Amino acid sequence: MTTAVIDETEAARRERLWEESRRVQGVSLGQDAWRRFRRDRVSMLSLVFLLGMGILAIATPLLPLQSPRLVKVDQKFQPMKFRPLFAPTAAWLDDAGKINEAKLDECFGELNVVNDSLIKLRAAIFGRWEVTSWLGTDHLGRDQLARLFWGARVSLLVGVVAGLVSLVIGVSYGATSGYIGGWVDSAMMRVIDVMYSVPFIFIVIFLITVLSEESIKKWLLEHGIDRIVIFYVVVGAIYWLTMARVVRGQVLSLKQQQFIEAARTVGCSRARIIFVHLVPNLLSIIIVYLTLTIPRVMLFESFLSFLGLGVEPPDVSWGLLANEGAKNITPIGIVWWLIVGPGLALGLTCAALNRLGDGLRDALDPRLKNR
């Protein structure tokens, strides 16, 4: 009898513990990182700003902005103006609200399928109404606000694409070097040392200058390659060196861990161990470094555009806008709104990316969990 009572008490205790354990919800590393990241208000504000900037850049053809290319000589150097807010002045639409294809090409240039669809949707929603020159006009009478938004598409895309190119090359190179080790690792690292000693800025300028020669440029355009595509590849291909070193150092510390030994024991290939087992464990570091690489690429593109070697008119980027604004700052008159807009947009975006990287680093570091 006593034994039965004890057994019943033990069963009830186990059942109670089981119920309590079911009520306790485990927290994954990602959930814990997100919870800590949300507590960092500045990083959250940076993330919201970047998401908003990205959404606005993608949706630029849908917004009721003026043409970024239409020249209005009689309206050049118009100062900032907020009244009226809107005006029925869309030059690419006739009085009936129908699209004039010739004017559309003049106002926006060649559009792909997505942008063309967004432009048509904008015409259906807003008709001829568009925002007036809130940020003034440039030396050709083009609306500065429209050029700022259209330039955001190029500047952000350059940073993201070149950053992803450097990510793919750097992670693959660094992880392979660190995992194989030995003389292969030494040789691969010496290659990086040699490349670090090369003044890449001059190489990039030289390549872009050579590829801009008329006959070469014509041949590249026939194959669908313009200067901005070349810029993606060239800049992405030189920003992978630090990424490779960072990844290699982390792989050296992980490759002797038990989960890697278990993968070797079951017969996993080197490629599978590197890209399925090692690289996913480095995602936090890779993501953080990517957020720090993108603003560097954007600033480099702005520098080249400032020198006239980046984005070619009539295309537009923030660096090109800053260059045009700087040309119009003279002792006779300072057209300050031409440089404040792109400079502020570029500065805020780079600052937000850097702050986002700091926030992600703190959130994804388990050692900072209880701070």
Side-chain angles (χ1 to χ4, degrees):
M1 183 68 179
T2 304
T3 303
V5 171
I6 292 174
D7 291 342
E8 184 177 350
T9 304
E10 183 67 20
R13 187 176 67 85
R14 284 200 297 267
E15 182 65 25
R16 187 175 65 256
L17 290 174
W18 174 247
E19 288 294 332
E20 290 178 358
S21 66
R22 283 191 297 185
R23 287 197 297 268
V24 176
Q25 298 293 326
V27 179
S28 67
L29 178 62
Q31 291 173 329
D32 181 61
W34 173 244
R35 177 179 57 82
R36 286 186 287 136
F37 180 79
R38 283 187 303 175
R39 291 206 299 259
D40 188 342
R41 294 184 179 180
V42 179
S43 295
M44 279 297 297
L45 183 62
S46 299
L47 178 61
V48 171
F49 173 81
L50 292 171
L51 289 176
M53 183 68 73
I55 292 171
L56 288 174
I58 294 171
T60 294
L62 187 61
L63 303 177
L65 300 170
Q66 296 184 42
S67 163
R69 295 189 178 190
L70 187 62
V71 175
K72 304 175 184 176
V73 181
D74 59 322
Q75 297 182 23
K76 64 180 182 180
F77 294 135
Q78 292 290 321
M80 299 172 67
K81 180 175 63 175
F82 296 97
R83 290 290 184 273
L85 297 177
F86 297 90
T89 55
W92 48 281
L93 293 174
D94 58 25
D95 295 334
K98 294 184 178 180
I99 297 176
N100 184 324
E101 295 294 341
K103 272 291 187 180
L104 184 66
D105 291 339
E106 180 185 351
C107 291
F108 297 101
E110 186 177 350
L111 297 171
N112 57 34
V113 176
V114 175
N115 290 337
D116 187 60
S117 300
L118 291 175
I119 286 285
K120 291 178 180 177
L121 181 59
R122 170 197 160 173
I125 296 174
F126 299 103
R128 288 179 53 82
W129 289 91
E130 59 187 11
V131 175
T132 55
S133 300
W134 292 358
L135 296 184
T137 60
D138 65 4
H139 62 291
L140 295 177
R142 296 171 297 190
D143 182 64
Q144 189 71 359
L145 180 63
R147 289 173 64 76
L148 189 68
F149 272 87
W150 283 88
R153 310 184 91 206
V154 174
S155 293
L156 294 176
L157 189 61
V158 164
V160 172
V161 173
L164 291 177
V165 171
S166 68
L167 174 73
V168 172
I169 299 174
V171 170
S172 302
Y173 192 95
T176 302
S177 174
Y179 180 75
I180 295 177
W183 68 268
V184 175
D185 179 37
S186 298
M188 295 177 74
M189 286 300 103
R190 297 299 75 76
V191 171
I192 288 183
D193 291 339
V194 171
M195 295 182 72
Y196 262 125
S197 66
V198 177
F200 276 110
I201 184 170
F202 298 112
I203 291 179
V204 172
I205 292 174
F206 172 75
L207 285 175
I208 292 178
T209 303
V210 170
L211 294 175
S212 297
E213 195 271 330
E214 286 303 321
S215 59
I216 299 176
K217 181 179 178 180
K218 182 179 179 181
W219 183 86
L220 290 173
L221 289 174
E222 289 175 353
H223 292 78
I225 303 173
D226 56 10
R227 183 188 287 184
I228 196 66
V229 175
I230 297 170
F231 185 85
Y232 291 154
V233 177
V234 172
V235 175
I238 67 174
Y239 271 93
W240 62 270
L241 300 177
T242 306
M243 175 74 80
R245 279 197 162 177
V246 170
V247 170
R248 172 195 175 257
Q250 295 297 318
V251 168
L252 288 175
S253 65
L254 286 178
K255 70 177 186 178
Q256 302 301 331
Q257 297 293 323
Q258 291 183 352
F259 71 96
I260 299 298
E261 293 293 339
R264 291 196 194 99
T265 303
V266 299
C268 291
S269 64
R270 282 181 175 178
R272 181 175 179 82
I273 291 174
I274 291 172
F275 293 105
V276 176
H277 296 281
L278 283 172
V279 171
N281 283 277
L282 303 175
L283 282 180
S284 60
I285 296 171
I286 292 170
I287 291 172
V288 170
Y289 193 77
L290 182 63
T291 61
L292 301 177
T293 301
I294 292 175
R296 292 172 59 196
V297 174
M298 291 176 62
L299 289 173
F300 189 56
E301 180 275 326
S302 298
F303 171 69
L304 289 180
S305 295
F306 196 84
L307 296 178
L309 297 172
V311 177
E312 292 180 290
D315 292 327
V316 60
S317 71
W318 287 340
L320 185 64
L321 288 176
N323 182 30
E324 292 179 352
K327 289 179 180 178
N328 291 290
I329 295 179
T330 65
I332 299 175
I334 298 177
V335 191
W336 58 270
W337 58 85
L338 294 185
I339 198 168
V340 169
L344 193 61
L346 183 61
L348 288 175
T349 302
C350 290
L353 282 165
N354 280 287
R355 191 61 187 83
L356 178 64
D358 289 341
L360 287 173
R361 179 198 60 204
D362 296 342
L364 294 170
D365 191 346
R367 293 170 296 183
L368 301 177
K369 182 175 182 179
N370 296 320
R371 292 190 181 183

